[in-house]
Amino acid sequence: MDGKPRAGIAIHGGAGTILRTAINSEQEHAYLTALRDIVIAGSALLADDGSALDAVTLAVSLLEDCPLFNAGKGSVFTSAATIEMDAAIMDGKTRRAGAVACVRQTRNPVRAARAVMEHSPHVLMVGPGAEEFLRQQGLPFEDSSYFHTEHRHAQLQRARQMAGIMLDHDAANLSTQTQEIAPLAPDQKLGTVGAVALDMQGNLAAATSTGGMTNKLPGRVGDTPMLGAGCYADNHTAALSATGTGEAFMRSLALHDIAAQIRYLGTSLQEAAQQVVMEQLPLFDGSGGIIAIDRLGNITMPFNTEGMYRAWMRPGEAAFAAIYADQSEDRKQR
Ligand code: ASP
């Protein structure tokens, strides 16, 4: 890399046992088209000199609105057949952050997280107090029927039969028998959406949003709203967003570990991310992946599962979208 930062955006729609045999070409096309369209929208905003913060907010809210992904509409169900969503956003320039957990009705949890960051003195809000604050902020709310999708409900029934808590894309494979959307394999359980961006001004931002894990206990909160675990951004190092077994990302503070390696050891983004995802997470029984962009614009997207829905783009260049591990596209440091 010549040292000049290169703006860019990367997004993910969750990682897990995404099996080629469990996903037909129509489903594959639907996922890739959605990922591409959304990364193009984020990149266009950056091309217009929009901020990284606005780009990740836009990309994640579009992913939340798309029922293919486990966040916003299309969120997975708890064991009580309720929807409980978590989200976080972080501004790398100021290192301000906002997050919400266990929200049930706010249409776009990422915008809720941003409202907490910008309009409250707090970082993380939960429960009825959070919903009340968000209503006061004028954020759109939806009935539970808006979030209810048949394929997620089918996943819950299967997870209940198997008495397991499942990452979305693992649970998703369970519903492919019905030829509905959402492909992953039977004995795993993931799904979450996220975006990271570097804007033309050299500022970084990250956002992550999820419905959590299928058949989770009501009240369970994962890594997504935990800074340094599921979402992190710091202009000195990188912007990062995670997907996978939340408990492992929380216990290992995976994203902060990557940023700390860059900052204190001078490790490259790619090396630090690879080390944490491939070597550290498995020590915590963690499966999943991360997307990241550093302050120079290097992008990396390692994952230790069969697949991760992902895409990236730089203003003025072509969009890249992929699902499986053998579609490796990580940008080499340049
Ligand atoms: N990390 C999310 C959680 O634990 C789930 C996922 O990414 O699949 O809630």
Side-chain angles (χ1 to χ4, degrees), residues 237-259:
T237 54
L240 308 107
S241 172
T243 176
T245 31
E247 282 70 11
F249 282 86
M250 285 189 269
R251 289 165 57 218
S252 61
L253 272 181
L255 301 188
H256 189 264
D257 187 344
I258 295 168

Side-chain angles (χ1 to χ4, degrees), residues 12 14-16 70 86 166-169 189-193 208-213 216 220-225 230 242-250 287-289:
H12 71 79
N70 172 18
D86 305 332
M166 315 199 79
L167 290 171
D168 173 46
H169 294 308
K189 9 9 221 224
L190 316 169
T192 279
V193 307
T208 313
S209 178
T210 193
M213 295 168 76
K216 66 184 179 181
R220 177 263 187 187
V221 175
D223 59 317
T224 299
T243 176
T245 31
E247 282 70 11
F249 282 86
M250 285 189 269
S287 61

Side-chain angles (χ1 to χ4, degrees), residues 60-140:
V60 170
S61 63
L62 291 172
L63 287 159
E64 288 173 339
D65 291 344
C66 176
L68 292 173
F69 303 107
N70 172 18
K73 186 175 180 63
S75 286
V76 298
F77 287 92
T78 68
S79 59
T82 52
I83 299 277
E84 295 185 353
M85 301 170 290
D86 305 332
I89 190 162
M90 188 159 180
D91 177 5
K93 181 180 177 188
T94 59
R95 282 191 280 173
R96 286 193 308 160
V100 290
C102 281
V103 290
R104 292 176 166 221
Q105 285 188 294
T106 185
R107 183 188 172 106
N108 289 112
V110 70
R111 295 194 187 277
R114 185 151 174 187
V116 171
M117 176 175 86
E118 291 179 338
H119 303 298
S120 87
H122 308 303
V123 169
L124 172 61
M125 293 184 74
V126 304
E131 304 253 4
E132 175 58 28
F133 167 76
L134 299 169
R135 283 185 198 278
Q136 283 167 9
Q137 291 298 312
L139 291 189

Side-chain angles (χ1 to χ4, degrees), residues 17 21-24 27 31 67-68 74 76 149-159 161-162 166-188 214 309:
T17 314
T21 48
I23 180 169
N24 64 36
Q27 292 167 330
Y31 276 99
L68 292 173
V76 298
T149 52
E150 274 315 307
H151 61 287
R152 300 296 186 212
H153 204 250
Q155 277 178 212
L156 172 63
Q157 306 312 330
R158 281 287 295 163
Q161 280 165 20
M162 295 172 66
M166 315 199 79
L167 290 171
D168 173 46
H169 294 308
D170 298 341
N173 284 326
L174 303 177
S175 64
T176 51
Q177 282 90 335
T178 61
Q179 288 313 303
E180 293 182 58
I181 50 177
L184 283 206
D187 38 7
Q188 290 202 18
T214 300
Y309 296 104

